[in-house]
Amino acid sequence: MKQENAVPVAAMYIDGRFVPAQSGETFESVNPVNGELVALIPFGDERDARSAVDAAAAAFPTWSRLSAAARAKYIHRVADVLERRRGEIASVVTTEEGKPLHEAQGELQLSIDSLRWYAEEARRAYGSWIPDPVPSRRLLTQRQPVGVCGAIIPWNVPCAMIFRKAAPALAAGCTMVLKPAEATSYVSLKVAEVFAEADFPAGVMNFVTGKSSAIGSVFLTDARVRKISFTGSTEVGRLLLRGAADQIKRVSMELGGNAPVIIFDDCDLTATIQAVSALKFLNAGQACIGANRIYVQAGIYDEVSRRLSDHARQVKVGDGSQPGVAMGPLVDMRAVEKVEALVGDAVRKGAVVRAGGSRMQGEAYEKGSFYAPTVLSEVPLAARLHDEEIFGPVAALYSFDTEVQAVEMANNVPYGLSAYIFTENIDRAFRVGERLETGMVGINEIRVGAAEAPFGGVKMSGIGREGGREGLEEYLETKLLAIRVREQI
Ligand code: NAP
Ligand code: MG
């Protein structure tokens, strides 16, 4: 490592202190644009996860008994510090994950929004008074925090994902141990500094980096961890669900997507092309809500294919920290190889490459994990990328004739996170939107996320919601109080 001296050595955040891994080991976090070292990250294992759970369990009684208003004050303070440091942390997101700076800034905004919204929403975690059939009794319910939560997040939304989980959990009165993805651990440890700077009480929020299976197994086997909140692949989600079954832990699972985009021939074509292109190349296609299967009505198929390809060729690819760059690299070379394999398979089965279709060529791209914005037409339904999540900048186009056919095709996968419809016909928008088997449907709209709104999937895309009122429910239990009341005065 030639610039080793300049490279920061990051620390985990456990019980309000910044600490190395107990093993003393570290691993390297690199910039996907050029392979340069970003930071050395502690390679934590069971021991570190255990001491973080110790801290979270010790902090729980005090934190959970604070009033919601008192917790809100602390959470707003985290948002204040995050606002102050948003530029710096956005640039770490870009350096470590690769997304363009404006997308990273969007993540920071969603993080701040989530903190502020949940700080207030937890103050409205009302219970109820239930009309009782028994005169000498009163029945009431109270909302209580679940307890210590173990959170595991992926690399593609490394900052906002922390707060999608931590903001509702902490506001509800839970304490948390969070494990980021290996590839973007430095972002998490910068965010840990924000909690420290905001004088957050020790042990309430903890960050552990390192060996995912070891840390995950502490979450699963330590009975003090009452809930697992996971975002990532369906494969790992399934593994965690099985593990959580032993102690009947509560779970939230935000898993893979395979979003259909249905473009009807009565859409506003210019707006649609722009929206679909933006959705497809967002974060270089590495978004769980990204366009995976683009179904185009037969009459406009050729035109959509041509105009989407023109767009794809114009996307400026490069180092996301540079102005004007619209798409960065993929997270690593393994991701590039996976996309290559999926495109190769589709082409062998008959798909036609209309734009891109290969790694980016040229000196500027040699050291990074870049893949060109790609459009494939005439993709056969048997292609692997129809059934698998592409997680790369490849727009795959399929053709359909009727509305019924479009709905059937869209629903014919085991996933159901988001779906998108483009049409100017309001009856059709409702009809189709209501029949799609997904947790979210965008109608002439690609932005389906907001701090205020429930985000999540059905079928193999997950269990539970993040965002909105529903997101708070994930961290609350309902306690019933049955009270004897003597009738005579
Ligand atoms: P992944 O392999 O499932 O990784 C996600 C997280 O799980 C990482 O922190 C990873 O740590 C950890 N992990 C891996 N193996 C584990 C184990 N045995 N025990 C405990 N933790 C383990 O997913 P990915 O491929 O990195 O991320 C992309 C996936 O996430 C896509 O499928 C995408 O759709 C999904 N995603 C879903 C949403 C949503 O809201 N539904 C949002 C974003 C992404 P290491 O990286 O350190 O191995
Ligand atoms: Mg992984």
Side-chain angles (χ1 to χ4, degrees):
M1 263 5 74
K2 21 184 207 324
Q3 4 81 295
E4 184 138 330
N5 299 338
V7 169
V9 181
M12 299 188 289
Y13 185 61
I14 298 174
D15 204 13
R17 285 190 296 273
F18 286 95
V19 293
Q22 292 188 32
S23 67
E25 285 179 42
T26 58
F27 65 94
E28 297 178 350
S29 167
V30 297
N31 183 340
V33 163
N34 49 26
E36 279 173 16
L37 198 52
V38 173
L40 290 173
I41 310 292
F43 191 66
D45 58 24
E46 285 95 344
R47 288 170 287 174
D48 307 284
R50 190 78 66 195
S51 67
V53 172
D54 289 344
F60 180 73
T62 305
W63 181 250
S64 59
R65 283 176 207 143
L66 283 181
S67 68
R71 286 196 298 268
K73 264 196 182 156
Y74 280 110
I75 293 168
H76 280 301
R77 230 156 58 197
V78 174
D80 294 341
V81 177
L82 200 58
E83 265 175 353
R84 223 168 36 239
R85 293 183 61 176
R86 68 200 294 166
E88 171 210 346
I89 293 178
S91 101
V92 176
V93 169
T94 291
T95 306
E96 208 180 26
E97 201 267 354
K99 68 181 59 175
L101 204 48
H102 67 270
E103 287 183 28
Q105 281 156 351
E107 261 201 62
L108 267 291
Q109 188 58 52
L110 179 58
S111 304
I112 294 161
D113 290 348
S114 299
L115 285 164
R116 298 223 185 272
W117 197 79
Y118 278 113
E120 296 309 314
E121 185 61 10
R123 301 173 70 173
R124 294 183 281 268
Y126 304 125
S128 62
W129 195 302
I130 300 163
D132 198 317
V134 179
S136 60
R137 190 180 60 181
R138 302 292 180 272
L139 295 177
L140 41 135
T141 64
Q142 186 183 23
R143 312 307 310 281
Q144 293 190 321
V146 170
V148 176
C149 300
I152 300 177
I153 64 169
W155 46 264
N156 64 339
V157 192
C159 181
M161 202 75 80
I162 296 169
F163 295 101
R164 300 283 275 173
K165 299 187 188 308
L170 301 177
C174 296
T175 57
M176 181 170 267
V177 180
L178 184 137
K179 191 210 84 71
E182 180 177 331
T184 52
S185 294
Y186 193 45
V187 173
S188 271
L189 299 179
K190 292 314 266 184
V191 166
E193 293 176 8
V194 171
F195 279 90
E197 204 177 320
D199 282 327
F200 219 65
V204 173
M205 184 70 200
N206 307 274
F207 292 84
V208 180
T209 52
K211 192 171 182 194
S212 56
S213 56
I215 298 162
S217 91
V218 171
F219 290 174
L220 294 174
T221 56
D222 192 316
R224 295 170 299 173
V225 177
R226 290 311 316 144
K227 157 139 194 157
I228 311 258
S229 177
F230 173 73
T231 300
S233 61
T234 298
E235 182 193 350
V236 175
R238 197 181 279 127
L239 203 119
L240 294 171
L241 266 175
R242 286 204 187 98
D246 282 342
Q247 295 179 353
I248 321 288
K249 290 182 198 283
R250 281 193 57 181
V251 291
S252 296
M253 296 275 147
E254 299 279 359
L255 307 177
N258 181 350
V261 175
I262 306 176
I263 306 178
F264 289 102
D265 61 11
D266 57 12
C267 71
D268 172 342
L269 202 51
T270 299
T272 301
I273 297 289
Q274 226 153 45
V276 173
S277 180
L279 178 66
K280 183 63 250 183
F281 302 121
L282 178 76
N283 199 18
Q286 304 167 112
C288 52
I289 55 161
N292 212 64
R293 298 170 285 144
I294 303 172
Y295 299 114
V296 187
Q297 204 155 16
I300 56 167
Y301 187 88
D302 290 337
E303 191 178 357
V304 168
S305 166
R306 185 176 50 75
R307 289 177 65 174
L308 210 51
S309 305
D310 290 344
H311 259 257
R313 279 188 286 268
Q314 280 157 24
V315 172
K316 187 169 173 203
V317 180
D319 178 345
S321 68
Q322 299 307 310
V325 167
M327 194 182 104
L330 301 196
V331 67
D332 55 25
M333 283 315 292
R334 254 198 13 228
V336 173
E337 284 156 18
K338 186 195 146 194
V339 171
E340 272 179 339
L342 288 175
V343 170
D345 167 80
V347 168
R348 267 193 306 281
K349 289 171 178 162
V352 179
V353 177
R354 300 285 174 191
S358 64
R359 298 182 188 196
M360 291 295 292
Q361 310 297 325
E363 210 181 322
Y365 305 111
E366 267 168 17
K367 292 183 176 151
S369 37
F370 290 97
Y371 195 88
T374 295
V375 176
L376 301 178
S377 70
E378 273 75 43
V379 183
L381 294 177
R384 273 176 57 202
L385 51 67
H386 181 267
D387 296 327
E388 289 177 35
E389 202 177 14
I390 302 168
F391 241 55
V394 179
L397 305 185
Y398 309 84
S399 154
F400 72 90
D401 294 308
T402 66
E403 199 178 290
V404 170
Q405 201 186 7
V407 171
E408 275 174 15
M409 289 170 94
N411 287 340
N412 195 22
V413 294
Y415 297 95
L417 189 60
S418 60
Y420 308 86
I421 309 167
F422 292 89
T423 176
E424 292 296 293
N425 177 335
I426 190 158
D427 302 306
R428 170 175 269 170
F430 274 99
R431 225 166 30 229
V432 175
E434 288 168 1
R435 279 169 179 71
L436 291 173
E437 296 168 357
T438 59
M440 300 168 284
V441 178
I443 298 172
N444 300 322
E445 174 61 89
I446 58 168
R447 296 161 304 169
V448 293
E452 295 84 347
F455 182 106
V458 301
K459 295 159 84 176
M460 271 164 56
S461 290
I463 300 171
R465 294 291 180 271
E466 278 178 349
R469 262 193 308 172
E470 292 83 350
L472 190 65
E473 296 295 321
E474 303 281 323
Y475 296 95
L476 291 169
E477 297 281 8
T478 298
K479 163 82 55 75
L480 173 73
L481 300 175
I483 305 154
R484 181 73 183 264
V485 178
R486 285 179 204 89
E487 287 302 300
Q488 322 89 300
I489 299 184

